[in-house]
Amino acid sequence: MSAQKDTPERIRIGISSCLLGAEVRFDGGHKRDAYLTETLARYFEFVPVCPEVAIGLGVPRETIRLVRCPQGIRAVGARDPSQDFTDRLETYGRRMAAELKGLCGYVFKRASPSCGMERVRVYSPFGTPAGQSAGIYARAFMAANPLLPCEEEGRLAEAALRENFIERVYVYRRWQDLLRGGLTPARLVAFHTEHKFQVLAHSQAAYRRLGRLVAEAGRRPIEALAREYAAELMGALKRRATRRAHANVLQHLLGYVSERLDAQDRQELVGLIERYRLGIVPLIAPLTLLEHHLRRHRVPYLERQHYLNPYPEALGLRNVL
């Protein structure tokens, strides 16, 4: 009854080269990440990029830093601030955003003045702290692809952030498949139907707004409607789903099968959902029991719901939520 099936076809994901073990850092080293290379590599086809090497900086090389100047935040040499790499990094970011249109996500190197997604240290011209920013390349790339799921490798160590990123990657992949297959009002309605409970777990307000948008399918130009829908969808999924929101979705799902259960089975599932809401058991516990009942009492509408299996089960992401 799984809506999301494991597939040998890997999803293309951009990534900072050093995270795969490429020795491209300023000191000639790397920052190989075992989770990325040993776990996610089974599902993702990584497309490595090192913008600093790509714009002609050598290995090893002088470090660069972000400096707040009258003309804005600049990427300059840490020892020789007269060396300004900002324009080249920005240009390369826009270029790669155009060339890598087939990506369904991107993993950036944390704290990098070129690749950091956020919270990169910014200095004053005198070397004192002057705030935080995104890296120059990452900022340009993300501005050109605002809906693309992006994350930093350091944040992927947190279970909720890791699950959120991977969930968004798989939704974005399905959205891209929809566009490639030819967008029609009927196909947009079908896509929305299959993702309703995923959206509800992240935002009830977005759930209602997306429902109103889909209701306009066939009455508005489909391309403009799809752009508005995609922006609302991906924005909603960036909000982390809470235990309370997941419990609400589980109760909705229970409603479709409740009358087919005897009192004991119904009470067991209700109790398990409540134990999840209180933080006693992980999300996989009530989901497993719910799926057990759905296998016995088939509900075709729920079989289409990606909420039940949003990504490959072998990743184990819901075991710790």
Side-chain angles (χ1 to χ4, degrees), residues 47 52 66 80 123 132 136 175 223 307 309:
V47 180
E52 294 181 23
L66 298 184
D80 183 3
Y123 298 88
Q132 298 177 331
I136 302 299
W175 178 253
E223 291 80 9
Y307 175 84
N309 290 278

Side-chain angles (χ1 to χ4, degrees), residues 65-122:
R65 61 166 51 177
L66 298 184
V67 175
R68 191 178 301 279
C69 304
Q71 62 270 43
I73 294 176
R74 311 294 293 180
V76 301
R79 287 182 296 181
D80 183 3
S82 67
Q83 296 189 70
D84 191 322
F85 308 106
T86 311
D87 293 341
R88 279 186 280 170
L89 287 169
E90 286 181 340
T91 299
Y92 188 69
R94 290 191 292 269
R95 173 185 152 192
M96 295 308 290
E99 290 184 6
L100 300 178
K101 282 296 186 182
L103 298 183
C104 291
Y106 207 116
V107 180
F108 290 104
K109 177 68 191 81
R110 179 184 63 85
S112 165
S114 59
C115 291
M117 190 180 82
E118 58 182 29
R119 298 191 304 277
V120 181
R121 290 181 182 177
V122 179

Side-chain angles (χ1 to χ4, degrees), residues 228-242:
E228 190 174 345
Y229 179 92
E232 182 72 50
L233 171 68
M234 298 311 298
L237 295 178
K238 286 181 73 172
R239 305 184 184 100
R240 280 194 271 180
T242 64

